[in-house]
Amino acid sequence: MAEAAFILELLAGIFFVIAAVPLLLLAARNRQIPERILGIAFLLMGVSYLFYETPFAFGNEALIVPFSLVGRLLWNASVVTTAAFTWTVFHREETWAVPLLWSVVVLLIAGLAISVQHGDLEGMAPIRNPGFWFEWVGQLIPFVWVSVASLTSYTSARRRARIGLSDALVSNRYLLFGGFGLLQLATVVLLVPMYIGYEVGSGGFSDSMDQLMGSLEMLTIVMIWLAFFPPRAYRDWIERAAARTATAR
């Protein structure tokens, strides 16, 4: 693994854990379910990254398979939690949403079970392990779902904001969270060529793929940071832009 990519992915894990803390503390105070679910999702994502990267941090190849398996299980748990967040926030009253949520769970469990049968505990063998594709689709669905739901809500909130019925920062948060979903979706798609190269190659990832993955993860962090922890300068910029739009009408 390229050193730069390793550092980026390690930082991504640390950031997700840090981002989870205020959300979980907020949920403890206001007892709101969405904040708790999202905090858990970020925490699981962060710890998953840390498990994947720990063997490389210590240069211990014997840890790669067991730590990758734990990281894989934690990542799948975060994916299910992300789908649960999307259902809770955007589609709680929709009858089709619960079956979609359960389909994610079934696909992930099926993928893991088939992977174990094929001896692919790391989940990095898309050619010889058909379970990879069940799991991959199960990971893909939640990020497609949250992207579509967030961007649809952004479009609606932006229209309301133009006539003063919605806050500009709220509509911008929808946009940023949609960006988070799209970037996570891109990383899941990128896993296919990465893992095929890993399986048919020398058992390693190309530096360019590693760096691209790390860059996508850093952009994901930017989206989360601006959505949930926006600095004052960013908030002022969004509000000024909204004011200019209102004046121009």
Side-chain angles (χ1 to χ4, degrees), residues 90-140:
F90 297 102
H91 299 293
R92 190 65 179 265
E93 305 302 323
E94 303 288 344
T95 57
W96 54 265
V98 172
L100 182 60
L101 177 59
W102 278 108
S103 73
V104 171
V105 176
V106 171
L107 285 165
L108 294 174
I109 292 174
L112 287 166
I114 296 170
S115 294
V116 170
Q117 290 180 337
H118 284 75
D120 180 22
L121 298 182
E122 297 173 84
M124 297 181 182
I127 296 175
R128 67 177 174 84
N129 170 25
F132 172 91
W133 298 103
F134 287 92
E135 189 175 9
W136 183 75
V137 173
Q139 294 173 347
L140 202 70

Short mmCIF file of all heavy atoms in Angstrom, two decimals, residues 90-140:
data_model
loop_
_atom_site.label_atom_id
_atom_site.label_comp_id
_atom_site.label_asym_id
_atom_site.label_seq_id
_atom_site.Cartn_x
_atom_site.Cartn_y
_atom_site.Cartn_z
N PHE A 90 -36.00 9.84 5.75
CA PHE A 90 -36.62 10.22 4.48
C PHE A 90 -37.85 9.39 4.09
O PHE A 90 -38.71 9.89 3.37
CB PHE A 90 -35.59 10.11 3.34
CG PHE A 90 -34.42 11.03 3.49
CD1 PHE A 90 -33.20 10.56 3.94
CD2 PHE A 90 -34.53 12.38 3.17
CE1 PHE A 90 -32.10 11.41 4.07
CE2 PHE A 90 -33.45 13.23 3.29
CZ PHE A 90 -32.23 12.75 3.74
N HIS A 91 -37.92 8.14 4.54
CA HIS A 91 -38.97 7.26 3.99
C HIS A 91 -39.67 6.43 5.06
O HIS A 91 -40.06 5.30 4.81
CB HIS A 91 -38.37 6.33 2.93
CG HIS A 91 -37.76 7.04 1.77
ND1 HIS A 91 -38.50 7.75 0.86
CD2 HIS A 91 -36.46 7.16 1.37
CE1 HIS A 91 -37.69 8.27 -0.06
NE2 HIS A 91 -36.45 7.94 0.23
N ARG A 92 -39.83 6.99 6.24
CA ARG A 92 -40.41 6.23 7.36
C ARG A 92 -41.82 5.76 7.05
O ARG A 92 -42.26 4.69 7.51
CB ARG A 92 -40.41 7.11 8.61
CG ARG A 92 -40.76 6.37 9.90
CD ARG A 92 -39.72 5.35 10.25
NE ARG A 92 -40.01 4.65 11.48
CZ ARG A 92 -39.53 5.00 12.66
NH1 ARG A 92 -38.74 6.06 12.78
NH2 ARG A 92 -39.82 4.29 13.73
N GLU A 93 -42.57 6.51 6.25
CA GLU A 93 -43.97 6.17 5.98
C GLU A 93 -44.15 5.40 4.67
O GLU A 93 -45.28 5.04 4.32
CB GLU A 93 -44.82 7.45 5.93
CG GLU A 93 -44.72 8.33 7.17
CD GLU A 93 -45.11 7.58 8.44
OE1 GLU A 93 -46.05 6.76 8.38
OE2 GLU A 93 -44.48 7.83 9.49
N GLU A 94 -43.06 5.16 3.95
CA GLU A 94 -43.16 4.49 2.65
C GLU A 94 -43.15 2.97 2.84
O GLU A 94 -42.26 2.42 3.50
CB GLU A 94 -41.99 4.90 1.75
CG GLU A 94 -41.88 6.40 1.52
CD GLU A 94 -42.99 6.93 0.62
OE1 GLU A 94 -43.64 6.11 -0.06
OE2 GLU A 94 -43.20 8.15 0.60
N THR A 95 -44.12 2.29 2.24
CA THR A 95 -44.23 0.84 2.44
C THR A 95 -43.10 0.06 1.77
O THR A 95 -42.75 -1.04 2.21
CB THR A 95 -45.57 0.33 1.88
OG1 THR A 95 -45.68 0.69 0.50
CG2 THR A 95 -46.73 0.92 2.66
N TRP A 96 -42.50 0.62 0.73
CA TRP A 96 -41.44 -0.10 0.02
C TRP A 96 -40.10 -0.01 0.72
O TRP A 96 -39.17 -0.78 0.43
CB TRP A 96 -41.27 0.45 -1.40
CG TRP A 96 -41.04 1.94 -1.46
CD1 TRP A 96 -41.96 2.91 -1.64
CD2 TRP A 96 -39.78 2.62 -1.29
NE1 TRP A 96 -41.38 4.16 -1.61
CE2 TRP A 96 -40.05 4.01 -1.41
CE3 TRP A 96 -38.47 2.20 -1.07
CZ2 TRP A 96 -39.04 4.97 -1.29
CZ3 TRP A 96 -37.47 3.17 -0.96
CH2 TRP A 96 -37.76 4.52 -1.07
N ALA A 97 -39.95 0.92 1.68
CA ALA A 97 -38.65 1.19 2.26
C ALA A 97 -38.16 0.07 3.17
O ALA A 97 -36.97 -0.26 3.18
CB ALA A 97 -38.68 2.51 3.02
N VAL A 98 -39.06 -0.52 3.95
CA VAL A 98 -38.65 -1.59 4.86
C VAL A 98 -38.15 -2.82 4.09
O VAL A 98 -37.08 -3.37 4.43
CB VAL A 98 -39.79 -1.95 5.83
CG1 VAL A 98 -39.42 -3.20 6.64
CG2 VAL A 98 -40.07 -0.79 6.77
N PRO A 99 -38.85 -3.29 3.05
CA PRO A 99 -38.30 -4.40 2.26
C PRO A 99 -36.94 -4.07 1.65
O PRO A 99 -36.07 -4.95 1.55
CB PRO A 99 -39.36 -4.62 1.18
CG PRO A 99 -40.63 -4.14 1.79
CD PRO A 99 -40.24 -2.97 2.64
N LEU A 100 -36.75 -2.82 1.22
CA LEU A 100 -35.46 -2.43 0.67
C LEU A 100 -34.37 -2.53 1.74
O LEU A 100 -33.26 -3.02 1.48
CB LEU A 100 -35.52 -1.02 0.11
CG LEU A 100 -34.23 -0.49 -0.55
CD1 LEU A 100 -33.83 -1.37 -1.73
CD2 LEU A 100 -34.42 0.96 -0.99
N LEU A 101 -34.69 -2.08 2.95
CA LEU A 101 -33.74 -2.16 4.05
C LEU A 101 -33.38 -3.62 4.34
O LEU A 101 -32.19 -3.96 4.50
CB LEU A 101 -34.33 -1.50 5.29
CG LEU A 101 -33.51 -1.54 6.58
CD1 LEU A 101 -32.15 -0.88 6.39
CD2 LEU A 101 -34.28 -0.87 7.72
N TRP A 102 -34.36 -4.48 4.38
CA TRP A 102 -34.10 -5.89 4.65
C TRP A 102 -33.36 -6.56 3.51
O TRP A 102 -32.58 -7.50 3.74
CB TRP A 102 -35.39 -6.63 4.96
CG TRP A 102 -35.82 -6.46 6.39
CD1 TRP A 102 -36.87 -5.72 6.86
CD2 TRP A 102 -35.18 -7.01 7.53
NE1 TRP A 102 -36.92 -5.77 8.22
CE2 TRP A 102 -35.90 -6.56 8.68
CE3 TRP A 102 -34.07 -7.83 7.72
CZ2 TRP A 102 -35.54 -6.92 9.97
CZ3 TRP A 102 -33.71 -8.18 9.02
CH2 TRP A 102 -34.44 -7.73 10.11
N SER A 103 -33.57 -6.10 2.29
CA SER A 103 -32.83 -6.68 1.16
C SER A 103 -31.34 -6.42 1.30
O SER A 103 -30.52 -7.28 0.93
CB SER A 103 -33.34 -6.11 -0.17
OG SER A 103 -32.94 -4.76 -0.35
N VAL A 104 -30.99 -5.26 1.85
CA VAL A 104 -29.57 -4.96 2.11
C VAL A 104 -29.00 -5.96 3.11
O VAL A 104 -27.91 -6.52 2.90
CB VAL A 104 -29.42 -3.51 2.62
CG1 VAL A 104 -27.99 -3.25 3.11
CG2 VAL A 104 -29.80 -2.51 1.55
N VAL A 105 -29.74 -6.20 4.18
CA VAL A 105 -29.28 -7.14 5.21
C VAL A 105 -29.09 -8.54 4.62
O VAL A 105 -28.06 -9.20 4.84
CB VAL A 105 -30.28 -7.19 6.38
CG1 VAL A 105 -29.87 -8.24 7.41
CG2 VAL A 105 -30.38 -5.82 7.05
N VAL A 106 -30.07 -9.00 3.84
CA VAL A 106 -30.01 -10.34 3.26
C VAL A 106 -28.83 -10.47 2.29
O VAL A 106 -28.10 -11.47 2.30
CB VAL A 106 -31.34 -10.67 2.55
CG1 VAL A 106 -31.22 -11.95 1.74
CG2 VAL A 106 -32.47 -10.79 3.56
N LEU A 107 -28.63 -9.46 1.45
CA LEU A 107 -27.52 -9.50 0.49
C LEU A 107 -26.17 -9.56 1.21
O LEU A 107 -25.28 -10.31 0.80
CB LEU A 107 -27.59 -8.28 -0.43
CG LEU A 107 -28.66 -8.31 -1.51
CD1 LEU A 107 -28.85 -6.91 -2.11
CD2 LEU A 107 -28.28 -9.31 -2.61
N LEU A 108 -26.02 -8.77 2.25
CA LEU A 108 -24.75 -8.76 2.98
C LEU A 108 -24.49 -10.08 3.68
O LEU A 108 -23.37 -10.62 3.64
CB LEU A 108 -24.74 -7.61 3.99
CG LEU A 108 -24.75 -6.19 3.40
CD1 LEU A 108 -24.90 -5.16 4.51
CD2 LEU A 108 -23.49 -5.92 2.60
N ILE A 109 -25.52 -10.64 4.31
CA ILE A 109 -25.36 -11.92 4.99
C ILE A 109 -25.05 -13.03 3.98
O ILE A 109 -24.17 -13.87 4.21
CB ILE A 109 -26.62 -12.26 5.81
CG1 ILE A 109 -26.74 -11.29 6.99
CG2 ILE A 109 -26.56 -13.70 6.32
CD1 ILE A 109 -28.03 -11.46 7.78
N ALA A 110 -25.77 -13.03 2.86
CA ALA A 110 -25.52 -14.03 1.82
C ALA A 110 -24.10 -13.91 1.29
O ALA A 110 -23.40 -14.92 1.11
CB ALA A 110 -26.53 -13.87 0.69
N GLY A 111 -23.67 -12.68 1.04
CA GLY A 111 -22.31 -12.49 0.53
C GLY A 111 -21.26 -12.97 1.50
O GLY A 111 -20.29 -13.63 1.10
N LEU A 112 -21.45 -12.69 2.79
CA LEU A 112 -20.50 -13.14 3.80
C LEU A 112 -20.49 -14.67 3.90
O LEU A 112 -19.41 -15.28 3.98
CB LEU A 112 -20.86 -12.53 5.15
CG LEU A 112 -20.56 -11.04 5.31
CD1 LEU A 112 -21.26 -10.48 6.55
CD2 LEU A 112 -19.05 -10.80 5.42
N ALA A 113 -21.66 -15.29 3.88
CA ALA A 113 -21.74 -16.74 4.02
C ALA A 113 -21.06 -17.44 2.84
O ALA A 113 -20.30 -18.40 3.03
CB ALA A 113 -23.21 -17.17 4.12
N ILE A 114 -21.33 -16.97 1.64
CA ILE A 114 -20.71 -17.57 0.45
C ILE A 114 -19.20 -17.34 0.46
O ILE A 114 -18.41 -18.21 0.08
CB ILE A 114 -21.35 -17.02 -0.83
CG1 ILE A 114 -22.83 -17.41 -0.89
CG2 ILE A 114 -20.62 -17.53 -2.08
CD1 ILE A 114 -23.62 -16.71 -2.00
N SER A 115 -18.78 -16.16 0.91
CA SER A 115 -17.35 -15.85 0.98
C SER A 115 -16.63 -16.81 1.93
O SER A 115 -15.52 -17.28 1.63
CB SER A 115 -17.14 -14.41 1.45
OG SER A 115 -17.61 -13.49 0.51
N VAL A 116 -17.24 -17.10 3.06
CA VAL A 116 -16.64 -18.03 4.01
C VAL A 116 -16.50 -19.41 3.38
O VAL A 116 -15.46 -20.09 3.53
CB VAL A 116 -17.48 -18.10 5.30
CG1 VAL A 116 -17.00 -19.25 6.19
CG2 VAL A 116 -17.39 -16.78 6.06
N GLN A 117 -17.53 -19.83 2.63
CA GLN A 117 -17.46 -21.13 1.96
C GLN A 117 -16.33 -21.19 0.94
O GLN A 117 -15.74 -22.25 0.72
CB GLN A 117 -18.79 -21.43 1.26
CG GLN A 117 -19.94 -21.71 2.21
CD GLN A 117 -21.23 -22.01 1.47
OE1 GLN A 117 -21.42 -21.62 0.32
NE2 GLN A 117 -22.13 -22.72 2.12
N HIS A 118 -16.02 -20.05 0.34
CA HIS A 118 -14.95 -20.01 -0.66
C HIS A 118 -13.61 -19.61 -0.05
O HIS A 118 -12.63 -19.40 -0.78
CB HIS A 118 -15.32 -19.02 -1.78
CG HIS A 118 -16.33 -19.55 -2.74
ND1 HIS A 118 -17.67 -19.66 -2.43
CD2 HIS A 118 -16.20 -20.02 -4.01
CE1 HIS A 118 -18.32 -20.16 -3.47
NE2 HIS A 118 -17.46 -20.38 -4.43
N GLY A 119 -13.55 -19.51 1.26
CA GLY A 119 -12.30 -19.20 1.93
C GLY A 119 -11.82 -17.78 1.72
O GLY A 119 -10.63 -17.49 1.91
N ASP A 120 -12.72 -16.88 1.35
CA ASP A 120 -12.35 -15.49 1.08
C ASP A 120 -12.79 -14.63 2.27
O ASP A 120 -13.78 -13.90 2.18
CB ASP A 120 -12.99 -15.02 -0.23
CG ASP A 120 -12.65 -13.58 -0.57
OD1 ASP A 120 -11.62 -13.09 -0.07
OD2 ASP A 120 -13.41 -12.95 -1.32
N LEU A 121 -12.06 -14.71 3.36
CA LEU A 121 -12.44 -13.97 4.57
C LEU A 121 -12.26 -12.47 4.40
O LEU A 121 -12.95 -11.68 5.06
CB LEU A 121 -11.63 -14.47 5.76
CG LEU A 121 -11.81 -15.95 6.13
CD1 LEU A 121 -10.98 -16.30 7.35
CD2 LEU A 121 -13.28 -16.28 6.38
N GLU A 122 -11.35 -12.06 3.52
CA GLU A 122 -11.12 -10.63 3.32
C GLU A 122 -12.17 -10.01 2.40
O GLU A 122 -12.32 -8.80 2.37
CB GLU A 122 -9.74 -10.41 2.70
CG GLU A 122 -8.58 -10.85 3.59
CD GLU A 122 -7.28 -10.75 2.85
OE1 GLU A 122 -6.71 -9.63 2.82
OE2 GLU A 122 -6.83 -11.76 2.28
N GLY A 123 -12.86 -10.83 1.60
CA GLY A 123 -13.84 -10.30 0.65
C GLY A 123 -13.20 -9.57 -0.50
O GLY A 123 -13.73 -8.58 -0.99
N MET A 124 -12.06 -10.07 -0.98
CA MET A 124 -11.30 -9.37 -2.02
C MET A 124 -11.07 -10.25 -3.24
O MET A 124 -10.06 -10.10 -3.94
CB MET A 124 -9.95 -8.90 -1.46
CG MET A 124 -10.06 -7.91 -0.33
SD MET A 124 -8.42 -7.38 0.24
CE MET A 124 -8.87 -6.28 1.58
N ALA A 125 -12.01 -11.17 -3.51
CA ALA A 125 -11.81 -12.09 -4.64
C ALA A 125 -13.06 -12.14 -5.51
O ALA A 125 -13.79 -13.14 -5.50
CB ALA A 125 -11.45 -13.49 -4.12
N PRO A 126 -13.35 -11.08 -6.26
CA PRO A 126 -14.59 -11.05 -7.04
C PRO A 126 -14.66 -12.08 -8.16
O PRO A 126 -15.75 -12.39 -8.64
CB PRO A 126 -14.60 -9.62 -7.62
CG PRO A 126 -13.19 -9.18 -7.57
CD PRO A 126 -12.59 -9.84 -6.37
N ILE A 127 -13.51 -12.62 -8.58
CA ILE A 127 -13.53 -13.58 -9.68
C ILE A 127 -13.85 -14.98 -9.18
O ILE A 127 -14.73 -15.66 -9.73
CB ILE A 127 -12.17 -13.57 -10.42
CG1 ILE A 127 -11.94 -12.21 -11.08
CG2 ILE A 127 -12.12 -14.68 -11.48
CD1 ILE A 127 -10.59 -12.05 -11.74
N ARG A 128 -13.18 -15.41 -8.12
CA ARG A 128 -13.40 -16.79 -7.65
C ARG A 128 -14.49 -16.89 -6.59
O ARG A 128 -14.93 -17.99 -6.26
CB ARG A 128 -12.10 -17.37 -7.12
CG ARG A 128 -11.58 -16.71 -5.84
CD ARG A 128 -10.32 -17.42 -5.35
NE ARG A 128 -9.71 -16.73 -4.21
CZ ARG A 128 -10.08 -16.91 -2.96
NH1 ARG A 128 -11.08 -17.73 -2.67
NH2 ARG A 128 -9.47 -16.26 -1.98
N ASN A 129 -14.94 -15.77 -6.06
CA ASN A 129 -15.93 -15.78 -4.98
C ASN A 129 -17.22 -15.09 -5.42
O ASN A 129 -17.30 -13.87 -5.40
CB ASN A 129 -15.33 -15.09 -3.75
CG ASN A 129 -16.39 -14.85 -2.67
OD1 ASN A 129 -17.40 -15.56 -2.60
ND2 ASN A 129 -16.16 -13.85 -1.83
N PRO A 130 -18.25 -15.86 -5.80
CA PRO A 130 -19.51 -15.22 -6.22
C PRO A 130 -20.19 -14.44 -5.10
O PRO A 130 -20.99 -13.54 -5.36
CB PRO A 130 -20.38 -16.41 -6.66
CG PRO A 130 -19.80 -17.60 -5.97
CD PRO A 130 -18.32 -17.34 -5.86
N GLY A 131 -19.86 -14.76 -3.85
CA GLY A 131 -20.44 -14.03 -2.74
C GLY A 131 -20.04 -12.57 -2.73
O GLY A 131 -20.76 -11.73 -2.17
N PHE A 132 -18.90 -12.26 -3.35
CA PHE A 132 -18.45 -10.87 -3.42
C PHE A 132 -19.54 -9.99 -4.01
O PHE A 132 -19.77 -8.88 -3.54
CB PHE A 132 -17.18 -10.77 -4.27
CG PHE A 132 -16.76 -9.35 -4.57
CD1 PHE A 132 -15.89 -8.68 -3.72
CD2 PHE A 132 -17.23 -8.69 -5.70
CE1 PHE A 132 -15.51 -7.37 -3.98
CE2 PHE A 132 -16.85 -7.38 -5.97
CZ PHE A 132 -15.99 -6.72 -5.12
N TRP A 133 -20.22 -10.48 -5.05
CA TRP A 133 -21.18 -9.65 -5.77
C TRP A 133 -22.45 -9.43 -4.98
O TRP A 133 -23.06 -8.36 -5.07
CB TRP A 133 -21.46 -10.27 -7.14
CG TRP A 133 -20.20 -10.33 -7.95
CD1 TRP A 133 -19.41 -11.42 -8.19
CD2 TRP A 133 -19.54 -9.22 -8.58
NE1 TRP A 133 -18.32 -11.07 -8.93
CE2 TRP A 133 -18.37 -9.74 -9.19
CE3 TRP A 133 -19.82 -7.86 -8.67
CZ2 TRP A 133 -17.49 -8.92 -9.89
CZ3 TRP A 133 -18.95 -7.04 -9.37
CH2 TRP A 133 -17.81 -7.57 -9.97
N PHE A 134 -22.88 -10.42 -4.20
CA PHE A 134 -24.03 -10.21 -3.32
C PHE A 134 -23.71 -9.11 -2.31
O PHE A 134 -24.50 -8.19 -2.08
CB PHE A 134 -24.37 -11.51 -2.57
CG PHE A 134 -25.02 -12.56 -3.42
CD1 PHE A 134 -24.27 -13.52 -4.08
CD2 PHE A 134 -26.40 -12.60 -3.57
CE1 PHE A 134 -24.86 -14.49 -4.86
CE2 PHE A 134 -27.01 -13.56 -4.35
CZ PHE A 134 -26.24 -14.51 -5.01
N GLU A 135 -22.53 -9.23 -1.70
CA GLU A 135 -22.13 -8.25 -0.71
C GLU A 135 -21.94 -6.87 -1.34
O GLU A 135 -22.32 -5.85 -0.75
CB GLU A 135 -20.83 -8.71 -0.04
CG GLU A 135 -20.43 -7.90 1.15
CD GLU A 135 -19.20 -8.47 1.83
OE1 GLU A 135 -18.56 -9.40 1.26
OE2 GLU A 135 -18.86 -7.99 2.93
N TRP A 136 -21.37 -6.84 -2.52
CA TRP A 136 -21.11 -5.57 -3.20
C TRP A 136 -22.42 -4.83 -3.50
O TRP A 136 -22.53 -3.63 -3.26
CB TRP A 136 -20.35 -5.83 -4.49
CG TRP A 136 -19.95 -4.60 -5.25
CD1 TRP A 136 -18.94 -3.73 -4.94
CD2 TRP A 136 -20.55 -4.10 -6.45
NE1 TRP A 136 -18.87 -2.72 -5.87
CE2 TRP A 136 -19.85 -2.92 -6.81
CE3 TRP A 136 -21.60 -4.54 -7.25
CZ2 TRP A 136 -20.18 -2.18 -7.93
CZ3 TRP A 136 -21.92 -3.79 -8.38
CH2 TRP A 136 -21.21 -2.63 -8.71
N VAL A 137 -23.42 -5.56 -4.00
CA VAL A 137 -24.72 -4.93 -4.26
C VAL A 137 -25.35 -4.47 -2.96
O VAL A 137 -25.95 -3.38 -2.88
CB VAL A 137 -25.67 -5.91 -5.01
CG1 VAL A 137 -27.07 -5.31 -5.14
CG2 VAL A 137 -25.11 -6.23 -6.39
N GLY A 138 -25.20 -5.27 -1.90
CA GLY A 138 -25.72 -4.88 -0.59
C GLY A 138 -25.07 -3.62 -0.06
O GLY A 138 -25.70 -2.84 0.66
N GLN A 139 -23.82 -3.39 -0.41
CA GLN A 139 -23.12 -2.16 -0.01
C GLN A 139 -23.47 -0.99 -0.92
O GLN A 139 -23.45 0.16 -0.49
CB GLN A 139 -21.60 -2.39 -0.03
CG GLN A 139 -21.12 -3.38 1.01
CD GLN A 139 -19.65 -3.72 0.86
OE1 GLN A 139 -19.02 -3.40 -0.15
NE2 GLN A 139 -19.09 -4.38 1.85
N LEU A 140 -23.80 -1.30 -2.15
CA LEU A 140 -24.10 -0.26 -3.13
C LEU A 140 -25.45 0.41 -2.85
O LEU A 140 -25.59 1.64 -2.91
CB LEU A 140 -24.10 -0.88 -4.53
CG LEU A 140 -23.89 0.03 -5.73
CD1 LEU A 140 -22.46 0.53 -5.77
CD2 LEU A 140 -24.21 -0.72 -7.03
#
